[in-house]
Amino acid sequence: MNNIVLIGFMCSGKTTIGRLLANELDYSFIDTDYWISKETDLTIDEIFASKGEEYFRKLETETVKNFSNNLKNTVLSTGGGLSVREVNIPYLKEIGQVVYLQVSKDTVLDRLNPNVVRPLLEQDNQAERIEELLKIRRPIYEAVADIIIDTDNKSVEAVTREVRQSLS
Ligand code: S3P
């Protein structure tokens, strides 16, 4: 098993760093949100809007369960809520080394792209919502991770280098 699993909050850079990391290591790259979108032929916000969050969470679990015994030389980037669901944790651990990309509330706010719909942040006070979610999720991300990398004020290349250096 030599896969790498990237976990962390929205805007921590999981997809961008995952893609670069996979490229550098000559690994395959899979993003769970992208995978689920392709499988359902719906965007993530369409799934949330038409079927609800719980349905999306079930799809996430099915996805990592299916991946848990058949990925090889792959970087798997996960949606921000996937790794905080207890049911998914054994699957992630089975897939590979779990790397938590840490991000602060201010960096999330800086990096948020107004053109991308994020169903969990669609409300007036985004800062408060991010803080609230981070408070709940931070300890879980930390407990699940084998490796923790801070991404605040760092370039994509610098974070990718740190991830590579920390892999055993
Ligand atoms: C979510 C994060 C999103 C996506 C969905 C729910 C979350 O993925 O899976 O909107 O619960 O944090 P990213 O972390 O890639 O933005």
Side-chain angles (χ1 to χ4, degrees):
M1 159 195 97
N2 42 11
N3 306 303
I4 300 153
V5 180
L6 299 181
I7 66 165
F9 202 72
M10 290 171 263
C11 302
S12 57
K14 293 164 297 194
T15 305
T16 314
I17 287 154
R19 200 173 280 127
L20 182 60
L21 189 63
N23 203 17
E24 288 184 3
L25 296 172
D26 203 15
Y27 274 25
S28 304
F29 175 69
I30 299 175
D31 177 88
T32 57
D33 283 344
Y34 181 76
W35 184 273
I36 291 169
S37 272
K38 274 202 85 176
E39 291 280 299
T40 56
D41 208 16
L42 293 168
T43 63
I44 302 303
D45 55 302
E46 281 169 347
I47 301 174
F48 268 74
S50 63
K51 314 254 188 180
E53 179 174 353
E54 275 318 301
Y55 182 82
F56 172 70
R57 298 302 175 195
K58 286 207 181 90
L59 294 179
E60 287 191 312
T61 298
E62 261 174 44
T63 304
V64 286
K65 187 177 177 186
N66 287 337
F67 285 153
S68 64
N69 49 19
N70 57 33
L71 291 186
K72 211 179 137 206
N73 295 346
T74 298
V75 177
L76 179 71
S77 160
T78 59
L82 192 151
S83 55
V84 297
R85 295 254 159 163
E86 216 174 324
V87 62
N88 299 330
I89 297 172
Y91 300 130
L92 296 179
K93 292 284 194 188
E94 210 177 313
I95 293 170
Q97 282 195 85
V98 180
V99 180
Y100 165 33
L101 300 180
Q102 219 169 22
V103 70
S104 67
K105 175 196 74 187
D106 290 341
T107 303
V108 175
L109 284 168
D110 280 350
R111 290 181 188 164
L112 271 180
N113 178 345
N115 301 319
V116 176
V117 181
R118 297 193 188 257
L120 291 187
L121 301 180
E122 290 307 296
Q123 63 176 67
D124 289 341
N125 199 337
Q126 280 191 329
E128 216 170 79
R129 178 70 174 140
I130 293 166
E131 191 61 68
E132 190 180 275
L133 283 172
L134 275 174
K135 201 170 157 199
I136 299 168
R137 292 180 173 187
R138 217 178 258 130
I140 309 175
Y141 291 139
E142 286 170 3
V144 178
D146 298 306
I147 296 162
I148 301 177
I149 309 273
D150 188 11
T151 72
D152 283 345
N153 306 311
K154 290 179 191 162
S155 67
V156 167
E157 291 75 19
V159 175
T160 305
R161 200 176 320 120
E162 267 189 61
V163 174
R164 285 188 66 172
Q165 283 163 355
S166 62
L167 291 168
S168 48

